[in-house]
């Protein structure tokens, strides 16, 4: 790639070229690598330690030198305040997993690709252990690690520069821009337990685009087998003990989902048109199928399917459907004694019985009960193109982009109970689609050597669409009047009343000033005005500064305001989920409805407004030779936060109103909730990052330390919409402290890597348990490179097979042996091997 093009790319993204010592992806040896450092400004270039705000810089080798293929898991190991969980049995959150930075929701972190806003995923996290409930963030798992040149994480509020969502910070993925060379890699691994096998084949190809540009292609294809970390549920064990041979062991599987045909591709290109003008662009296409389990439906007790919904008789008799209610032939009562339905009465209505054509129970189809299998087919693609250049002291950039994410849901091994024996067992419930279009114009002008002015304008439109499911997935069948539940059990389909498309457009104007007051003191100012066509305008500002006392020590600090606009999906989507209630010891159906639904309005619902934030941070930087240490303290005050309310019990009138509004499964709901702005929080924490490079034992050595302590407190809330349980989820659902220490040692072609991570405790609302945490997790890897091109790698994640504390109520409850929200996973140790080949 030409020098002119590389320079224009850096200026347009607000980055600067500096020479750092990095690790070669092939050998792991220390070598000079040209890095680009995101500073959060659009003008004057500056080095990492001259930044007025904290920035983490992670080279592509940081991701290549790990065994996982999911970028979310890779980030968890190297970014101090980044958390992501396995999310089994979490509806759509199993397909696109929520991630949290600085203890805030997934949609409080802005994601950029080459400095341009990335579209969000279509999935709304209906289940997310409190912190992530109701969020709608981007899906970074579709980015192959082979596409990354570098990741920069700006750990500071940046809404005044980038707009909505940049409250916890900004993650900017810089794509590989090599114009030559080919790298291919194959990896295979599995868990010590013998399941969860994973394979992936990936590569990166760099090609010249004329003599003055580049075209870079990255790809990855793989699959991951499911895992099983369950214990047999007590109720299922009792059925087996009573002689029911159709019950599986375990009846319900807790584990990682099955990922099939996981394809990820990215392209990145740029070319000089003239000495002063360049065109550039990037795009991606990704697809996969994810399948996981749901909760077990007990053949004696599952209300409105196997047993009557009346709690007085639930579990004491079966729910019998009268297939011909007008012919005067009645159906017998099938009582249950010691977990065994009355065999004589059951024989009358079963195949070959005298009343076989008159009466029906679902025990005929599923004598051992059933566990639905839920998943989705994910499609994600995007395209962005732009032109940038310079004219004297003026630098300008024009770009336009489009993003698309769709999840087509499916559910199998379940029923629409109201259809009786005519029910399908596989359903298409419909789909979610997110589309975004953005146009952006930036300009900067160096007023003097000390002052740079920048500004720009942006227009964006996003659309959220719910596509109607097949009729059997949401319809009322003929047995609905007899108490059988309507819609596909576990994940009801989207009815015509729920389906629809909703759009929202906004435009913004913004300006930045960078002022070098004196040689050792710099100040950054930013302001952004934005207008949304659904809730009006918002104006946000930021001031950041750094003062350097000498070459070794500097201090920095910032203050800013920010906001996050509610998404069209959050404002309009409706959903029904099935959750295990640890207090009741049974499954409950809960609905989520728009906050403007008439039923929600009766309980305090109202149109959503944007969340607002005020960020403050202060930090210090110490540089002594090859040792760098940074510490930053931060406070994030948020008002009018958007999250799901507490669950309200439904009255009969409210059930009828919900059915009329399209929530056809409302007759079997135990409660409902909706999005609300009714609470404020304060998040306080400290980030510490230290690095040290030296020569030891005749080779090159590198050490890095990351530490984060983070605590969120709910400072104000409306007790009419939020209760103590929801407050506890928000405050205690993530570990308060975590840290990691990584060491790398190289001797020529031989490289060793070791990492230890420590995790604090957390509260699991679904288990109703406070987990102590205190777990140490060790990773290790050894690599050897032959003739600078062929590299063999053998490694282990969670080397010593560490597990979280066991769930004390696992067998008595839903069968999960471990918490689903453990911050380091519940699958145990994972081994892997890799082989890569590079040539130019």
């Amino acid at each position: 790639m030409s020098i002119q093009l590389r320079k224009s790319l850096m200026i347009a993204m607000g980055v600067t070229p500096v020479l750092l010592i990095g690790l070669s992806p092939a050998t792991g040896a220390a070598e000079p690598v040209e890095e680009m450092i995101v500073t959060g400004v659009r003008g004057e270039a500056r080095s990492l330690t001259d930044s007025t705000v904290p920035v983490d810089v992670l080279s592509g080798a940081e991701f290549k030198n790990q065994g996982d293929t999911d970028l979310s898991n890779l980030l968890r190991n190297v970014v101090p305040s980044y958390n992501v969980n396995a999310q089994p049995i979490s509806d759509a959150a199993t397909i696109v997993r929520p991630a949290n930075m600085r203890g805030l929701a997934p949609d409080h972190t802005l994601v950029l690709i080459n400095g341009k806003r990335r579209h969000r995923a279509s999935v709304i996290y209906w289940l997310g252990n409190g912190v992530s409930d109701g969020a709608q963030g981007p899906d970074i798992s579709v980015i192959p690690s082979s596409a990354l040149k570098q990741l920069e994480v700006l750990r500071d509020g940046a809404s005044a520069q980038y707009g909505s969502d940049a409250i916890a910070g900004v993650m900017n993925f810089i794509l590989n821009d090599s114009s030559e060379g080919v790298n291919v890699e194959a990896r295979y691994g599995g868990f010590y337990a013998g399941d969860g096998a994973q394979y992936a084949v990936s590569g990166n190809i760099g090609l010249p685009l004329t003599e003055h540009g580049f075209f870079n292609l990255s790809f990855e294809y793989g699959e991951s087998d499911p895992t099983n970390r369950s214990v047999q549920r007590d109720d299922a064990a009792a059925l087996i003990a009573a002689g029911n041979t159709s019950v599986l062991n375990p009846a319900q599987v807790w584990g990682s989902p099955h990922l099939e045909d996981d394809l990820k591709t990215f392209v990145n290109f740029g070319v000089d048109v003239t000495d002063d003008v360049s065109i550039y662009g990037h795009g991606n296409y990704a697809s996969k199928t994810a399948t996981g389990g749901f909760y077990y439906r007990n053949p004696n007790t599952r209300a409105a399917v196997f047993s009557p919904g009346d709690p007085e008789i639930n579990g004491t008799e079966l729910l019998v459907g009268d297939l011909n209610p007008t012919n005067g032939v009645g159906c017998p009562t099938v009582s249950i004694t010691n977990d065994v339905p009355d065999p004589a009465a059951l024989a009358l209505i079963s195949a070959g019985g005298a009343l076989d054509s008159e009466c029906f129970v679902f025990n005929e189809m599923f004598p051992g009960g059933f566990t639905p299998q839920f998943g989705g087919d994910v499609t994600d693609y995007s395209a962005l193109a732009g032109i940038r250049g310079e004219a004297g002291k003026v630098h300008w950039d024009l770009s336009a982009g489009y993003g698309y994410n769709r999840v087509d849901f499916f559910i199998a091994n379940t029923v629409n109970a109201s259809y009786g024996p005519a029910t399908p067992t596989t359903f298409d419930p419909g789909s979610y689609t997110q589309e975004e279009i953005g146009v952006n114009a930036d300009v900067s002008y160096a007023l003097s050597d000390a002052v740079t002015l920048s500004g720009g304008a942006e227009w964006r439109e996003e659309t959220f669409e719910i596509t109607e499911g097949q009729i059997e997935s949401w319809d009322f069948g003929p047995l609905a009047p007899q108490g059988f539940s309507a819609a596909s059990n576990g994940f009801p389909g989207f009815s015509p009343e729920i389906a629809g498309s909703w759009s929202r457009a906004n435009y913004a104007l913004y300006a930045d000033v960078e002022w070098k007051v004196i040689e050792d003191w710099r100040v950054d100012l930013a302001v952004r005005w934005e207008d949304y066509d659904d809730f009006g305008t918002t104006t946000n500002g930021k001031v950041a500064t750094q003062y350097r006392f000498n070459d070794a020590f500097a201090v920095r600090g910032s203050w800013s305001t920010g906001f996050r606009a509610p998404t069209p999906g959050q404002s309009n989507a409706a959903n029904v989920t099935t959750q295990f209630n640890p207090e009741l010891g049974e499954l409950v159906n809960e609905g989520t409805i728009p906050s403007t639904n008439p039923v929600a309005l009766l309980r305090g619902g109202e149109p959503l407004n944007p969340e607002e934030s005020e960020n403050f941070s202060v930090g210090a930087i110490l540089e002594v030779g090859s040792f760098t240490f940074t510490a930053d303290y931060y406070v994030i005050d948020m008002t009018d936060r958007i999250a799901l309310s507490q669950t309200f019990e439904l009255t009969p009138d409210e059930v009828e109103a919900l059915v009329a509004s399209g929530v056809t499964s409302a007759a079997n709901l135990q409660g409902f909730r909706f999005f609300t702005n009714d609470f404020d929080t304060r998040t306080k924490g400290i980030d510490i990052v230290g690095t040290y490079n030296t020569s030891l034992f005749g080779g090159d050595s590198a050490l890095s330390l990351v530490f984060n302590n983070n605590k969120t407190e709910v400072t104000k809330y409306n007790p009419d919409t939020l209760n103590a349980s929801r407050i506890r989820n928000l405050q205690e659902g993530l570990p308060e402290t975590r840290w990691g220490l990584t060491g790398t040692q190289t001797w020529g072609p031989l490289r060793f890597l070791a990492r230890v991570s420590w995790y604090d405790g957390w509260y699991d609302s679904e288990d109703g348990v406070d987990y102590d945490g205190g777990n140490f997790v060790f990773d290790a890897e050894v690599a050897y490179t032959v003739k600078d091109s062929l590299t063999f790698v053998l490694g282990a994640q969670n080397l010593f097979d560490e597990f979280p504390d066991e769930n004390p109520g696992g067998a008595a409850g839903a069968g999960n042996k471990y918490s689903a929200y453990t911050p380091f996973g519940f699958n145990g140790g994972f081994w892997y091997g890799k082989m890569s080949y590079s040539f130019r």
Side-chain angles (χ1 to χ4, degrees):
M1 181 169 58
S2 70
I3 295 175
Q4 174 61 32
L5 176 59
R6 187 181 297 276
K7 178 183 175 184
S8 64
L9 285 170
M10 295 172 188
I11 292 172
M13 290 189 292
V15 300
T16 174
V18 297
L19 196 63
L20 300 179
I21 298 298
L23 295 179
S24 163
T27 67
E31 61 176 26
V33 179
E34 184 182 47
E35 302 281 0
M36 295 192 296
I37 308 303
V38 169
T39 62
V41 295
R42 294 181 171 87
E44 181 186 351
R46 62 185 66 166
S47 67
L48 171 64
T49 51
D50 281 337
S51 174
T52 57
V53 293
V55 180
D56 293 325
V57 181
L58 305 169
S59 70
E62 294 273 7
F63 304 104
K64 292 178 181 294
N65 297 337
Q66 298 189 56
D68 211 301
T69 59
D70 190 317
L71 191 57
S72 294
N73 292 338
L74 302 180
L75 283 171
R76 179 178 59 193
N77 293 330
V78 293
V79 177
S81 59
Y82 187 88
N83 286 279
V84 66
N85 312 116
Q87 298 291 330
I89 314 184
S90 296
D91 279 15
T94 301
I95 302 168
V96 179
R97 297 183 299 154
N100 313 94
M101 193 159 78
R102 286 189 163 179
L104 298 179
D107 46 15
H108 290 146
T109 300
L110 179 65
V111 173
L112 308 175
I113 303 289
N114 281 355
K116 305 297 182 179
R117 179 182 285 263
R118 173 75 176 168
H119 63 274
R120 70 180 84 249
S122 58
V123 163
I124 298 174
Y125 306 120
W126 303 112
L127 301 176
N129 200 35
V131 179
S132 301
D133 287 358
Q136 187 184 0
D139 181 10
I140 66 171
S141 71
V142 301
I143 305 173
S145 59
S146 59
L148 295 180
K149 178 180 181 179
Q150 186 164 304
L151 167 65
E152 296 91 12
V153 182
L154 190 154
R155 292 180 279 108
D156 196 54
S159 292
Q161 296 154 294
Y162 296 105
S164 178
D165 305 351
I167 293 176
V170 178
M171 302 177 69
N172 189 3
F173 294 88
I174 304 299
L175 300 176
N176 197 322
D177 58 3
S178 175
S179 60
E180 61 178 356
V182 175
N183 175 267
V184 292
E185 179 181 275
R187 71 182 79 181
Y188 184 84
F191 290 97
Y192 294 1
D195 57 5
Q198 299 179 9
Y199 79 84
V201 178
S202 62
N204 178 267
I205 303 171
L207 299 170
L209 188 60
T210 75
E211 296 180 357
H212 306 288
F214 70 93
F215 182 89
N216 194 274
L217 169 66
S218 304
F219 68 90
E220 182 179 298
Y221 180 84
E223 296 196 358
S224 299
D225 289 341
T227 63
N228 179 1
R229 300 296 178 270
S230 309
V231 294
Q232 181 64 296
R233 293 170 42 144
D234 286 349
D235 60 340
L239 291 171
I240 294 173
N244 191 327
T245 59
S246 298
V247 178
L248 299 179
N249 188 6
Q252 179 175 319
V253 173
W254 287 86
S256 299
H258 187 194
L259 299 181
E260 301 173 273
D261 298 323
D262 191 2
L263 174 66
K264 310 169 188 177
T265 62
F266 248 99
V267 295
N268 186 31
F269 70 89
V271 63
D272 289 338
V273 179
T274 69
D275 289 342
D276 299 318
V277 177
S278 305
I279 61 172
Y280 63 92
H282 62 262
N284 85 290
Y285 177 84
S287 62
K288 67 179 178 182
T289 298
T291 307
F294 263 11
Y295 291 99
Y296 172 61
R297 272 59 176 169
N298 186 300
N300 289 350
T301 62
R302 181 54 182 159
V305 179
F306 292 103
S307 187
D310 184 350
E312 297 292 330
I313 58 175
N314 179 266
T316 65
E317 63 181 65
L318 297 183
L319 178 60
V320 182
D322 191 338
L323 302 180
N324 297 290
T326 60
N327 66 0
V329 178
C331 293
T333 297
V334 182
S335 59
I336 301 172
T337 305
N338 296 325
D339 290 314
V340 178
D342 181 356
L346 194 59
L348 277 175
I349 59 178
S350 298
L355 298 176
D356 178 28
S357 61
E358 300 289 339
C359 308
F360 175 78
V361 290
F362 272 100
N363 304 65
E364 298 179 54
M365 294 179 63
F366 297 99
F370 61 90
T371 304
Q373 296 294 296
F374 173 77
D377 295 314
V378 180
T379 303
D380 183 282
Y381 53 83
S382 65
L384 181 139
I387 182 169
R388 55 169 63 105
E390 57 183 273
K393 294 183 178 181
V394 176
H395 297 274
W396 54 270
D397 181 358
L398 302 173
S399 65
Y402 171 79
Y404 175 95
N405 183 276
R406 179 185 177 97
V407 179
D408 288 306
F409 300 110
F410 57 80
I411 188 167
N413 199 46
T414 188
V415 299
N416 179 337
S418 67
Y419 273 64
T423 179
T425 57
T426 300
F427 299 86
D428 173 8
S431 62
Y432 285 164
T433 303
Q434 176 79 14
E435 290 185 275
E436 297 183 25
I437 302 173
V439 179
N440 183 268
D442 289 319
V443 63
S444 66
Y445 176 71
L447 190 64
S448 68
D449 291 341
V451 178
T452 300
L453 305 178
S454 303
E458 184 177 52
W459 174 85
R460 290 192 300 117
E461 182 178 66
E462 62 177 299
T463 300
F464 180 79
E465 181 180 3
I466 300 178
T467 303
E468 179 183 342
Q470 71 179 84
I471 187 171
E472 295 90 347
S473 71
W474 52 264
D475 192 25
F476 289 93
L479 296 186
Q482 300 180 38
F484 287 84
S485 62
S488 46
N489 196 275
F491 192 90
F494 307 127
S495 67
E497 291 81 6
I498 288 178
S501 179
W502 303 271
S503 297
R504 196 253 319 277
N506 65 284
Y507 57 92
L509 300 173
Y510 46 89
D512 295 4
V513 178
E514 302 167 39
W515 181 23
K516 195 172 186 179
V517 184
I518 58 176
E519 182 63 28
D520 296 318
W521 181 26
R522 63 174 69 242
V523 176
D524 296 334
L525 303 171
V527 64
R528 184 181 180 105
W529 175 87
E530 203 142 358
D531 183 79
Y532 286 78
D533 62 13
D534 54 354
F535 63 78
T537 64
T538 178
T539 302
N540 294 277
K542 180 172 184 175
V543 56
T545 185
Q546 188 201 82
Y547 183 80
R548 180 165 289 278
F549 291 90
N550 51 48
D551 290 341
F553 183 71
V555 295
R556 61 191 177 195
S558 69
W559 174 89
S560 65
T561 60
F563 77 104
R564 189 190 74 79
T567 70
Q570 290 174 321
S571 297
N572 297 283
N575 188 70
V576 175
T577 59
T578 302
Q579 299 185 74
F580 183 81
N581 187 314
E583 297 179 357
L584 300 177
E586 62 184 33
L587 296 182
V588 295
N589 294 328
E590 295 182 352
T592 302
I593 60 177
S595 60
T596 53
N597 185 291
V599 175
L601 294 175
L602 293 174
R603 304 299 181 95
E606 57 185 24
L608 295 177
N609 292 309
E611 301 172 309
E612 297 181 349
S613 68
E614 184 174 337
N615 293 51
F616 167 79
S617 71
V618 60
I621 305 164
L622 178 65
E623 294 179 277
V624 181
S626 60
F627 173 74
T628 301
F629 179 88
T630 65
D632 293 276
Y633 172 78
Y634 57 89
V635 178
I636 306 172
D637 287 322
M638 294 191 64
T639 58
D640 292 331
R641 279 191 64 171
I642 298 172
L644 290 169
S645 71
Q646 64 174 295
T647 300
F648 296 95
E649 292 186 6
L650 284 163
T651 66
D653 289 342
E654 289 171 336
V655 169
E656 291 184 13
L658 285 179
V659 171
S661 69
V663 186
T664 56
S665 56
N668 306 108
L669 291 181
Q670 278 77 19
F672 74 96
R673 54 187 185 168
F674 51 87
F675 286 101
T676 175
N677 283 105
D678 278 357
F679 72 104
D680 303 341
T681 62
R682 164 167 282 194
T683 298
K684 299 186 295 185
I686 184 169
D687 286 331
I688 295 175
V689 178
T691 61
Y692 179 59
N693 297 295
T694 187
S695 296
L696 292 175
F697 314 114
D700 296 317
S701 305
L703 287 173
S704 67
L705 168 71
V706 294
F707 172 92
N708 173 255
N709 177 270
N710 188 92
K711 185 174 181 62
T712 294
E713 177 187 2
V714 176
T715 57
K716 179 183 177 182
Y717 70 97
N718 182 350
D720 293 331
T721 54
L722 293 177
N723 58 16
S725 176
R726 288 288 294 118
I727 301 303
R728 190 176 185 189
N729 287 346
L730 292 161
Q731 295 185 154
E732 303 175 25
L734 294 173
E736 185 173 322
T737 302
R738 57 167 297 192
W739 58 263
L741 179 65
T742 302
T744 303
Q745 180 70 35
T746 61
W747 290 282
L750 182 63
R751 173 178 58 84
F752 291 94
L753 179 145
R755 178 185 296 111
V756 57
S757 303
W758 185 87
Y759 299 88
D760 206 353
W762 68 97
Y763 172 66
D764 187 325
S765 58
E766 293 185 13
D767 294 346
V769 176
D770 262 315
Y771 289 95
D772 293 332
N775 300 88
F776 288 90
V777 178
F778 292 84
D779 304 330
E781 182 178 282
V782 58
Y784 187 80
T785 300
V786 180
K787 295 183 178 180
D788 295 327
S789 58
L790 182 62
T791 301
F792 298 92
V793 179
L794 184 64
Q797 295 179 161
N798 194 353
L799 178 65
F800 300 116
D801 206 23
E802 179 76 2
F803 285 92
D805 292 339
E806 293 191 8
N807 174 15
N816 55 315
K817 189 174 183 179
Y818 307 106
S819 167
Y821 301 106
T822 165
F824 60 91
F826 52 71
N827 284 314
F830 179 85
W831 66 269
Y832 60 90
K834 298 190 291 185
M835 182 178 69
S836 65
Y837 183 70
S838 301
F839 63 90
R840 291 186 180 275

